[in-house]
Amino acid sequence: MLAAPACVTAQTWSSSEATFRLDTVAQGLEHPWSLAFLPDGDALVTERAGRLRVIRDGTLLPEPVQGLPELVVSGQGGLLDVLLHPEFRQNNTLFLSYAHRSPAGMTTRVARAELNGNRLTGVEVIFEALPRSGTSRHFAGRMAFDAQGNLYIAVGDRGEMDRAQDTGDDAGGVHRITPEGKPAPGNPFLADSQANDTLFTYGNRNIQGMTVHPETGAIWTHEHGPRGGDEINILRAGTNYGWPEITYGIDYSGLPISLDTKQPGMAQPLHYWDPSIAPSGMAFYTGTLFPQWQGDLFVGALKMQKLVRLEIVDGKVTEEEDLLTDLGERIRAVNMGPDGALWLLTDAPRGNVYRMVPAQ
């Protein structure tokens, strides 16, 4: 089991159903982005600045993991998600998403590697979104495995919104591959010579949260809108999620992006926010520390600096509650821990790792 943290916040918070506190597990991380729990009780944390760190026995080890793939830290890009292979206990394999630069521009890449001690070995690039672009935003990068062992990879529109409607462009969509990097069997565009065989969905702006429903196995995502229009969606093969042809948001300038919120052939979000909360990270609660939260969906918020609890009944949001509104930190990632606690990462030059546990 994961060890107790080194220090504990004195403050407690109350929600409509629980009283809880935050245990501070680690401090001083440079824009922590993602968290993965190892079978031996350690935890891996990515720093967007390009480091993979280890938390062991409640302590952040000073030496980063060595052997990372070549990456670029620029704007919103850097080292992004870390995800363990479903058979990590047998093969020590993990996956990293990150921004990469070449003379042709920047893009989102995914590499697989083996974790041996404090070093990655056998690093292999298994996915690269094309074409590249000169922009430094909307890399997306969230990943998840489904029950069949397929890997889902979110790629943002790179701030060039029309790319999201072009199925011949890897940007602005979700891609599904095997752990070896091949297009997953049954992908929806395999017969389309203009589309990448890895493409699974399109019309996605910038997915920053991805998780698996604990009962149905469906992949749930959320993505940033512009000024308003943040969305929660359930991924379905071949679906067009509409960006930028339909949106509940407006441009940062205040001008409309589209006059439509609905069009035939384009999916409606399960839930949306207006104004934008800038969601990031999401997890279903499946632990026993808060039995009253079983099955609830938790979403972090960067702009609004809070944690949102959504009660889900029959695939629909029936209740929404804002938590940690006075914490004053941008919540980047939300993870369901093997210890039954919710784990949070906060996005800052000196970000924190927290465990949410009952106050008693």
Side-chain angles (χ1 to χ4, degrees):
M1 291 296 292
L2 294 160
C7 55
V8 176
T9 56
Q11 185 175 358
T12 62
W13 286 267
S14 294
S15 76
S16 63
E17 296 182 349
T19 301
F20 57 90
R21 69 171 193 267
L22 296 182
D23 290 355
T24 305
V25 180
Q27 298 174 301
L29 289 126
E30 189 171 1
H31 295 287
W33 209 92
S34 178
L35 183 68
F37 301 100
L38 298 177
D40 64 2
D42 289 354
L44 297 174
V45 183
T46 62
E47 293 178 287
R48 199 179 71 221
R51 290 179 293 270
L52 181 62
R53 307 292 297 276
V54 178
I55 297 174
R56 178 171 296 154
D57 297 330
T59 300
L60 180 68
L61 301 187
E63 182 69 20
V65 174
Q66 303 299 302
L68 266 65
E70 177 189 10
L71 58 86
V72 63
V73 180
S74 178
Q76 297 173 357
L79 182 59
L80 303 173
D81 212 355
V82 56
L83 183 68
L84 303 187
H85 191 288
E87 298 176 359
F88 181 86
R89 287 181 181 272
Q90 289 75 43
N91 60 25
N92 285 345
T93 297
L94 56 76
F95 299 82
L96 297 170
S97 64
Y98 54 95
H100 183 265
R101 175 185 281 149
S102 77
M106 289 187 286
T107 191
T108 303
R109 267 186 171 183
V110 172
R112 59 176 283 158
E114 289 186 18
L115 179 64
N116 292 296
N118 199 49
R119 176 170 290 276
L120 297 181
T121 61
V123 176
E124 177 188 5
V125 177
I126 61 169
F127 176 81
E128 176 176 285
L130 295 174
R132 291 170 176 262
S133 169
T135 69
S136 60
R137 59 189 181 275
H138 295 189
F139 291 93
R142 291 291 181 193
M143 302 184 293
F145 274 103
D146 65 16
Q148 290 71 46
N150 296 314
L151 177 62
Y152 295 71
I153 304 163
V155 179
D157 69 0
R158 302 303 317 291
E160 300 164 320
M161 63 179 71
D162 291 339
R163 297 178 67 183
Q165 284 298 311
D166 183 357
T167 56
D169 189 321
D170 291 343
V174 175
H175 296 257
R176 185 173 71 166
I177 63 175
T178 69
E180 293 73 35
K182 303 295 184 182
N187 274 357
F189 296 97
L190 292 176
D192 186 344
S193 61
Q194 301 300 312
N196 191 331
D197 287 348
T198 64
L199 189 65
F200 190 74
T201 69
Y202 63 109
N204 302 109
R205 183 173 183 263
N206 189 28
I207 289 173
Q208 294 288 285
M210 184 179 289
T211 193
V212 180
H213 192 283
E215 294 180 357
T216 68
I219 307 294
W220 288 46
T221 67
H222 67 59
E223 59 184 277
H224 284 204
R227 286 177 56 182
D230 303 331
E231 298 182 1
I232 291 179
N233 292 298
I234 302 174
L235 292 190
R236 295 182 173 89
T239 297
N240 180 357
Y241 289 90
W243 175 255
E245 295 299 313
I246 59 172
T247 178
Y248 287 91
I250 59 174
D251 191 73
Y252 296 111
S253 68
L255 297 175
I257 293 170
S258 171
L259 298 179
D260 296 330
T261 57
K262 298 180 180 179
Q263 283 191 27
M266 298 183 183
Q268 282 292 296
L270 178 77
H271 186 72
Y272 72 90
W273 287 274
D274 187 14
S276 172
I277 66 169
S280 189
M282 66 191 303
F284 285 98
Y285 187 79
T286 58
T288 58
L289 294 182
F290 298 99
Q292 63 274 41
W293 286 348
Q294 278 281 338
D296 289 356
L297 183 65
F298 287 81
V299 175
L302 297 168
K303 178 182 177 182
M304 292 301 185
Q305 299 184 351
K306 63 185 178 182
L307 180 67
V308 180
R309 181 183 69 84
L310 299 172
E311 185 174 315
I312 311 294
V313 178
D314 296 329
K316 296 181 180 180
V317 176
T318 58
E319 180 183 344
E320 180 172 350
E321 182 180 25
D322 291 344
L323 308 175
L324 301 175
T325 54
D326 59 347
L327 182 64
E329 298 187 56
R330 291 160 50 90
I331 297 178
R332 167 62 72 182
V334 184
N335 290 73
M336 183 64 233
D339 56 355
L342 278 175
W343 288 58
L344 311 176
L345 303 183
T346 63
D347 180 51
R350 293 185 58 81
N352 300 317
V353 180
Y354 294 121
R355 292 171 66 244
M356 180 184 291
V357 296
Q360 292 78 17

